[in-house]
Amino acid sequence: GKSFLPTLAVGPDGTALAAWTENVGSNLFTVVTCDFRGGDWNANLNTPKPGNDSSDRNPRVALDGTGRGFLIWEQAAATGEVSSIWTQRYDGTWSTASVATLEFYTADDAYTPSIALNETGAGTATWLQTTPSGPTLWARRFDGTNWRDPEMIAMGSSIEWDPIPEVAIDPAGTSVVIWSQALPTNYNVRAVRHVAGAATWEAPLALETNNLITTAASDYAGPVVGMDRDGNAIALWRKKTASGRVLVQTSRLAATATAWTPVNGSALHDDGTHTAFVVDLAVSRNGTALAAWYYGVEFDIWASVYR
């Protein structure tokens, strides 16, 4: 069948997990995974839950420092039911017994999950939840052994779901979640942090208030985030200016800071002519960051390094 939406995670020990959505026939979409361990990809593919409809699956994978990890995806438990967030544990092999739903609210759809793990096995998973009053953003933290209770970390109309909210975690277990949200009409980037050891998440912070991105098909902020070993976070996103073009924007949240700086972010690059698309970011534990994107029309890949 046709395969799409691939995702990949590589751990410090060289273990890799790949996941994708596959049309297995009759328009049934199924999540499929494969693991790389000991120098080769496993010939036996893993299918955690057979497909029962043609809805999105949005699989994500993450690994800790010892080659243990998780798969996370969205799927209805049975045909005609609401979509739930599912996980499966990887510990050298995929555990069939570990396949389970992550969220508790079952009255409406849960969708667009994301997950991050740190070196010691702590992690944070996020997803969007439909409610009668609009979408809400939820998180559930993993302490290395057990999942803690789900926590609602943001609410309000028009939280952007495509691209999905993203999460990063540092070695100590501090997490940052980033997304874009219509406030009140244009989409501005927001983020929320949970400091390791704290009882609750901090209040959401606005990274900007002047992004002119709307609901047009080519308009999306698509923010991404990464963290270094000291708990500093770097964000990257698309920002539409008065010129009508969309630029690559960046901002930083220091570990001890209470606001992202600079205010409204700063343009990482502007070629003066084209709109930037599909931004991506990787942040190493030593604080080096690599940003990548392309400009419409020319389609060359651009990159910038932060040291």
Side-chain angles (χ1 to χ4, degrees), residues 12-59:
D13 70 340
T15 301
L17 302 179
W20 61 92
T21 302
E22 189 163 319
N23 186 343
V24 296
S26 301
N27 218 27
L28 297 177
F29 290 2
T30 294
V31 172
V32 180
T33 73
C34 187
D35 60 302
F36 179 93
R37 196 177 184 94
D40 202 1
W41 288 98
N42 193 336
N44 299 314
L45 301 181
N46 168 60
T47 302
K49 185 173 176 59
N52 50 25
D53 57 37
S54 60
S55 297
D56 293 334
R57 297 289 177 253
N58 291 314

Side-chain angles (χ1 to χ4, degrees), residues 219-281:
D219 274 4
Y220 57 89
V224 287
V225 65
M227 300 183 72
D228 66 19
R229 69 166 67 96
D230 297 319
N232 305 303
I234 296 177
L236 195 72
W237 70 95
R238 301 172 76 238
K239 184 166 190 153
K240 192 171 187 178
T241 65
S243 70
R245 290 181 296 109
V246 180
L247 309 180
V248 181
Q249 203 79 1
T250 187
S251 189
R252 187 173 185 272
L253 178 67
T256 58
T258 58
W260 290 80
T261 57
V263 176
N264 288 317
S266 61
L268 190 62
H269 185 260
D270 180 5
D271 77 345
T273 305
H274 302 114
T275 282
F277 289 93
V278 192
V279 299
D280 205 356
L281 174 71

Side-chain angles (χ1 to χ4, degrees), residues 101-127:
T101 55
L102 198 60
E103 93 285 0
F104 293 170
Y105 186 82
T106 59
D108 290 294
D109 288 325
Y111 53 103
T112 57
S114 189
I115 189 169
L117 292 176
N118 68 10
E119 295 86 335
T120 63
T124 298
T126 64
W127 66 92

